[in-house]
């Protein structure tokens, strides 16, 4: 026994020394891992660099002429020649160009217009020739044989739309009526392809024969053809497809975004698919399975075109005229870099956890509390299991919605566009929202008057009933005051709305009967009286909740205190100040808290009576939040709710702090 008692401290000392050594090793490994990452494994240089190449006007499309030159088509009908990322010249067009393409050698530029023209320019933007088709051009591509595949038609949803293939002089190789509005076309080696606004896609050979026709989930907005003849398409719901040119069946499809895909292209040099959406996100996809291996927030405006002018010169063009250069090496290595980053994060987490666990086991001041907590949890495991369902329900229905509301306050959440994180934009908007700040002023006025009403009349009634001598009368009076509470609150609000009616309302009728017609008012329609009419509603303001809280507090006071006060000669007024108020301080704090809560969050009565009017005379922040929800501006409404919740949280913490103070 003595030997064991002597050996135990020695074993603990050895374990403590081993634990300290292990802790040092883990810290050294943590430092070494991060040094290796930042010195050798972290990528250097920027993957994306943006330059403003096209000033003025939105860019609709950009077409590569050669390794140095690109032509951009703008929304104000200009051709801008961009050389090495800088605009060097421009030409004003006499037509509205709706589609554009260039020959592989860049010698010719071909565009289709809204008034039926197909125009051919040389590389210096000089017009060579033009011909007309039977309708507005909606899509145009140049085939490998130099012919021009055109989608065109008349009107909208008329069925008068065609896909045709023409030579430079406008002689048709074929014309095929599709029967649906054409959204985009593509040119393959042996067939021409089209996408219609109803989701149809099809293939037509040079004899004008329909090879196949099928559907996509949503209508395609862009199409391109890969080196082996397969079709790439992008639709209006953020989906990218790779389609078999022989059957029209989807080889793979990949959901990338909630926004419209405004750009999709096949990059032959890297054998990758490049896509861009309306929100400015850029994606690069693997050709084999469509898996996105690189994505970046490239621009604040939609991406329109993709150009690859050399081995390392990969560009995306945004609608605001930005030339966004992508470091192709870093982009292609993005998947490998992501795996490295994941491993480094996991390694850091494991090493930090191991170091903390070693500290807890090694240091007695940490080990003893940890062991004690573990024993307590083990001893009370049945109790924890019994309250687990309630805890889970509270988390799901209380805390999760709160966290979601907080998250949505930093987004543009609405029904018009996909959810996007926008940082503090909602709060910046809130800081200059005149409706919100007008509502804050009205809310403070309602808060002050509500506190006065809740701290006076209900307490007075509770005192008067409490000091009645006859028990039956006391009980009867208490019942009489409580009976009105069985009527729904909205009924009382509607009754007061009728009382304030300018034509048949009780107040105006009484004033007329007293020959005081000059004092009548449209009480809820006059900006000078509306807020005070709402405050005055409910007179004589006997809040049943406050009355019962006060009355219960008075009942809990020991009668011996009152007897002692009577012996000392205390009058009712002194007894009220020195005994009653002091002994019901917890009840007073409770009423203060709930009154504050109701004044900050409440808007129901105002909505029923005035809907915030006239103008903003009765606006409150809660009503502004409700109206923003009604308008489907959920992100902005969440920011208002978050601010109000923060105010309530501060007051709640203050209330708990006051509760720690001893009562009389």
């Amino acid at each position: 026994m003595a030997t064991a008692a002597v050996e135990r401290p020695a074993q603990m000392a050895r374990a403590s020394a081993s634990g300290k050594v292990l802790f040092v090793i883990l810290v050294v490994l943590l430092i070494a891992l991060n040094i290796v990452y930042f010195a050798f494994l972290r990528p250097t240089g920027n993957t994306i660099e943006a330059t403003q190449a096209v000033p003025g006007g939105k860019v609709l499309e950009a077409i590569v002429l050669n390794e140095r030159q690109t032509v951009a088509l703008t929304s104000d009908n200009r051709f801008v020649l961009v050389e090495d990322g800088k605009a060097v010249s421009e030409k004003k067009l006499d037509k509205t160009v709706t589609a554009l393409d260039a020959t592989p050698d860049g010698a010719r530029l071909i565009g289709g217009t809204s008034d039926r023209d197909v125009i051919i320019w040389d590389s210096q933007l000089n017009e060579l020739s033009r011909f007309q088709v039977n309708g507005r051009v909606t899509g145009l591509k140049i085939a490998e044989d130099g012919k021009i595949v055109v989608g065109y038609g008349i009107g909208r949803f008329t069925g008068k739309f065609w896909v045709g293939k023409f030579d430079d002089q406008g002689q048709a190789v074929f014309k095929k009526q599709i029967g649906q509005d054409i959204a985009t076309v593509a040119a393959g080696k042996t067939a021409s392809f089209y996408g219609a606004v109803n989701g149809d896609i099809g293939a037509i050979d040079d004899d004008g024969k329909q090879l196949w026709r099928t559907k996509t989930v949503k209508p395609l907005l862009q199409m391109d053809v890969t080196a082996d003849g397969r079709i790439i398409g992008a639709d209006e719901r953020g989906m990218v497809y790779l389609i078999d040119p022989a059957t029209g069946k989807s080889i793979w499809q990949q959901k990338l975004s909630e926004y419209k895909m405004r750009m999709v292209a096949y990059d032959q040099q890297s054998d990758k698919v490049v896509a861009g959406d309306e929100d400015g996100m850029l994606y690069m996809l693997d050709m084999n399975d469509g898996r996105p291996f690189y994505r970046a927030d490239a621009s604040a405006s939609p991406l329109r075109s993709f150009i690859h002018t050399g081995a390392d010169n990969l560009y995306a063009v945004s609608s605001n005229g930005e030339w966004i250069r992508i470091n192709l090496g870093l982009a292609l290595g993005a998947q490998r870099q992501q795996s490295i980053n994941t491993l480094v994060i996991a390694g850091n987490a494991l090493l930090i956890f191991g170091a903390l666990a070693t500290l807890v086991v090694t240091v007695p001041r940490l080990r003893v509390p940890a062991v004690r907590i573990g024993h307590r949890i083990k001893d009370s495991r049945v109790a924890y299991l019994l309250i687990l369902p309630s805890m889970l329900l509270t988390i799901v229905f209380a805390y999760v919605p709160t966290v979601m509301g907080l998250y949505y306050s930093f987004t543009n959440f609405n029904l018009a566009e996909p959810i996007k994180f926008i940082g503090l934009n909602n709060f910046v908007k809130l800081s200059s929202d005149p409706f919100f700040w007008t509502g804050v002023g009205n809310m403070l006025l309602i808060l002050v008057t509500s506190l006065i009403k809740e701290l006076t009349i209900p307490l007075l009634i509770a005192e008067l009933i409490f000091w009645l001598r006859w028990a039956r009368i006391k009980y009867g009076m208490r019942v009489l005051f409580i009976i009105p509470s069985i009527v729904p609150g909205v009924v009382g609000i509607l009754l007061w709305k009728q009382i304030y009616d300018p034509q048949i309302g009780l107040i105006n009728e009484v004033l007329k009967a007293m020959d005081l017609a000059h004092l009548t008012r449209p009480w809820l329609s006059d900006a000078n009286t509306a807020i005070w009419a709402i405050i005055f509603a409910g007179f004589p303001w006997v809040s049943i909740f406050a009355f019962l809280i006060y009355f219960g507090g008075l009942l809990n006071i020991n009668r011996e205190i009152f007897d002692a006060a009577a012996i000392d000669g205390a009058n009712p007024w002194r007894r009220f100040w020195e005994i009653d108020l002091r002994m019901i301080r917890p009840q007073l704090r409770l009423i203060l808290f709930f009154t504050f809560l109701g004044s900050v969050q409440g808007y129901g009565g105002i909505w029923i009576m005035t809907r915030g009017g006239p103008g903003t005379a009765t606006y409150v922040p809660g009503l502004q939040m409700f109206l923003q929800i009604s308008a489907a501006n959920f992100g902005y409404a969440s920011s208002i709710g978050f601010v109000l919740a923060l105010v309530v949280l501060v007051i709640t913490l203050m209330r708990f702090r006051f509760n720690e103070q001893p009562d009389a």
Side-chain angles (χ1 to χ4, degrees):
M1 293 287 293
T3 304
V6 171
E7 289 180 351
R8 189 176 295 112
Q11 292 174 353
M12 293 180 64
R14 287 194 295 271
S16 178
S18 301
K20 291 178 181 178
V21 172
L22 179 59
F23 175 76
V24 172
I25 292 173
L26 291 173
V27 171
V28 170
L29 288 175
L30 179 66
I31 296 172
L33 175 63
N34 285 278
I35 289 174
V36 170
Y37 173 75
F38 285 102
F40 304 106
L41 301 179
R42 190 181 66 166
T44 57
N46 296 324
T47 308
I48 286 181
E49 295 178 353
T51 58
Q52 192 72 35
V54 181
K58 291 186 176 180
V59 174
L60 300 180
E61 200 163 357
I63 301 294
V64 175
L65 297 180
N66 51 58
E67 288 192 358
R68 297 187 60 195
Q69 293 181 322
T70 303
V71 171
L73 170 65
T74 67
S75 59
D76 53 354
N77 297 324
R78 289 181 297 134
F79 274 152
V80 180
L81 185 63
V82 179
E83 189 171 302
D84 296 331
K86 296 181 180 180
V88 295
S89 65
E90 63 178 61
K91 181 176 182 179
K92 185 70 176 179
L93 303 174
D94 61 345
K95 302 284 186 178
T96 301
V97 177
T98 55
L100 190 66
D101 199 10
T103 56
D105 59 4
R108 294 182 303 154
L109 191 67
I110 303 175
T113 72
S114 60
D115 54 357
R116 308 185 179 197
D117 284 334
V118 175
I119 307 173
I120 303 172
W121 298 273
D122 63 16
S123 60
Q124 301 303 313
L125 307 181
N126 299 309
E127 184 176 323
L128 300 177
S129 63
R130 70 171 66 191
F131 62 88
Q132 284 199 328
V133 294
N134 186 28
R136 171 176 55 90
V137 176
T138 58
L140 183 147
K141 290 291 182 181
I142 300 176
E144 287 190 3
D145 58 5
K147 302 296 192 295
I148 308 164
V149 178
V150 185
Y152 57 95
I154 302 170
R156 290 284 291 171
F157 306 108
T158 61
K160 298 179 180 180
F161 275 79
W162 292 264
V163 173
K165 192 172 185 180
F166 304 88
D167 62 17
D168 289 356
Q169 305 305 315
Q171 296 297 317
V173 177
F174 72 83
K175 297 179 184 178
K176 178 72 173 178
Q177 185 170 359
I178 302 304
Q180 294 289 339
D181 298 25
I182 305 300
T184 181
V185 296
K189 294 180 179 178
T190 59
S192 302
F193 308 100
Y194 66 87
V197 296
N198 67 338
D200 284 357
I201 58 172
I204 305 170
D205 65 13
D206 284 352
D207 295 327
K209 180 183 177 181
Q210 183 90 47
L211 300 178
W212 49 261
R213 186 166 183 163
T214 185
K215 275 186 175 291
T216 53
V217 178
K218 291 292 180 181
L220 296 185
L221 300 178
Q222 296 289 332
M223 296 177 74
D224 199 7
V225 177
T226 66
D228 57 5
R230 291 181 293 180
I231 308 163
I232 302 169
D235 70 16
E236 63 181 27
R237 286 297 180 92
M239 192 87 77
V240 173
Y241 305 81
L242 182 64
I243 300 169
D244 186 345
T247 63
K249 293 183 178 180
S250 175
I251 299 171
W252 53 254
Q253 56 189 43
Q254 187 68 242
K255 177 73 171 178
L256 297 178
S257 171
E258 295 296 333
Y259 292 88
K260 294 179 180 179
M261 301 303 296
R262 289 298 185 184
M263 178 265 287
V264 68
Y266 169 70
D267 180 31
Q268 187 170 357
Q269 297 187 43
S270 62
D271 193 32
K272 304 296 180 184
V273 177
V274 182
D277 68 14
E278 199 168 47
D279 192 42
M281 289 294 296
L282 177 73
Y283 305 87
M284 295 188 73
L285 290 76
D286 189 274
M287 276 293 299
N288 295 322
D289 54 12
R291 180 171 41 85
F293 62 88
Y294 175 75
R295 67 183 67 200
D297 190 358
S299 175
S301 61
L303 298 181
R304 291 291 186 179
S305 299
F306 158 76
I307 51 181
H308 197 162
T309 59
D312 296 321
N313 297 322
L314 182 66
Y315 291 94
V317 182
S318 69
S319 64
N320 66 0
E322 288 179 316
W323 245 242
I324 303 160
R325 184 182 180 276
I326 301 138
N327 187 318
L328 189 58
L330 292 179
L332 293 176
Q335 185 177 4
R336 173 178 169 271
Q337 186 62 46
Q338 185 176 5
S339 300
I340 292 174
N341 293 343
T342 302
L343 290 174
V344 170
I345 292 172
N348 276 315
L350 288 174
L351 290 172
I352 291 172
F353 176 78
L356 292 176
T358 304
L359 276 179
V360 171
V361 173
T362 305
V363 180
R365 285 184 298 178
L366 299 177
R367 182 175 66 250
V368 172
V371 172
R372 187 184 299 118
I373 292 172
H375 285 314
R376 287 180 178 176
I377 293 174
K378 181 180 178 182
D379 295 340
S380 305
R381 59 186 179 276
V382 175
Y384 285 117
L385 288 174
L386 291 174
I387 66 172
L388 182 61
S390 297
M391 292 174 62
L392 291 176
L393 290 173
T394 302
I395 291 171
V396 170
F397 293 107
Y399 289 102
V400 170
T402 301
V403 174
M404 289 175 62
L406 176 60
Y407 167 72
Y408 288 141
S409 67
F410 296 99
T411 69
N412 66 336
F413 185 23
N414 58 68
L415 298 182
E417 56 184 323
I419 297 177
K420 179 183 177 183
F421 185 81
I422 58 174
L424 297 175
N425 288 7
N426 284 329
F427 297 97
V428 173
K429 178 181 176 182
L430 187 62
S431 66
S432 58
D433 186 347
F435 294 101
F436 176 78
W437 291 107
T438 299
V440 169
N442 290 332
M443 182 192 73
L444 293 176
L445 179 60
I446 292 172
L447 172 61
V448 172
T449 54
S450 296
L451 290 174
I452 294 172
K453 291 188 292 186
E454 295 291 315
L455 293 176
T456 54
I457 305 299
L459 179 57
L460 174 62
I461 299 300
E463 283 280 344
L464 292 175
I465 295 178
F466 178 74
W467 289 106
L468 286 174
R469 295 183 179 181
W470 297 279
R472 289 188 177 182
I473 295 178
K474 181 187 296 187
Y475 180 80
M477 294 296 293
R478 187 169 55 186
V479 171
L480 288 175
F481 275 104
I482 293 175
I483 284 177
S485 66
I486 66 175
V487 179
V490 67
V491 174
I493 296 171
L494 291 172
L495 285 174
W496 274 95
K497 188 175 182 180
Q498 290 294 320
I499 291 172
Y500 288 130
D501 189 279
Q503 302 299 327
I504 60 172
L506 177 63
I507 295 178
N508 281 349
E509 290 299 315
V510 169
L511 290 173
K512 291 175 184 177
M514 297 174 63
D515 199 23
L516 297 173
H518 62 284
L519 296 179
T520 59
R521 295 283 189 281
W523 301 100
L524 295 175
S525 302
D526 188 337
N528 295 320
T529 59
I531 189 68
W532 293 105
I534 289 174
I535 290 170
F536 193 86
F539 182 82
W541 312 308
V542 182
S543 168
I544 302 305
F545 175 74
F547 164 72
L548 290 176
I549 293 295
Y550 291 140
F551 195 80
L554 292 172
L555 289 175
N556 282 331
I557 300 175
N558 194 325
R559 298 293 302 188
E560 293 179 357
I561 298 176
F562 295 129
D563 294 338
I567 293 172
D568 290 341
N571 57 36
W573 185 251
R574 186 177 180 86
R575 183 191 62 219
F576 171 76
W577 283 104
E578 299 295 337
I579 297 176
D580 294 7
L581 282 183
R582 291 177 180 272
M583 299 301 290
I584 63 170
R585 275 165 55 179
Q587 287 76 16
L588 289 170
R589 286 198 293 266
L590 183 65
I591 296 301
L592 284 171
F593 173 72
F594 279 106
T595 302
F596 179 86
L597 198 65
S599 299
V600 171
Q601 297 180 340
Y603 63 88
I606 294 175
W607 174 251
I608 294 172
M609 281 191 166
T610 64
R611 303 205 169 193
T616 58
T618 58
Y619 235 76
V620 290
L623 182 59
Q624 173 72 335
M625 179 180 68
F626 170 75
L627 292 175
Q628 292 298 322
I629 293 173
S630 302
N633 295 324
F634 303 115
Y636 186 53
S638 296
S639 66
I640 297 174
F642 174 69
V643 171
L644 297 180
L646 191 62
V647 173
V648 172
L649 177 63
V650 171
I651 298 301
T652 302
L653 295 176
M654 291 174 61
R655 175 178 175 267
F656 287 149
R657 179 67 180 271
F658 289 149
N659 277 355
E660 295 175 358
Q661 299 176 1
D663 292 315

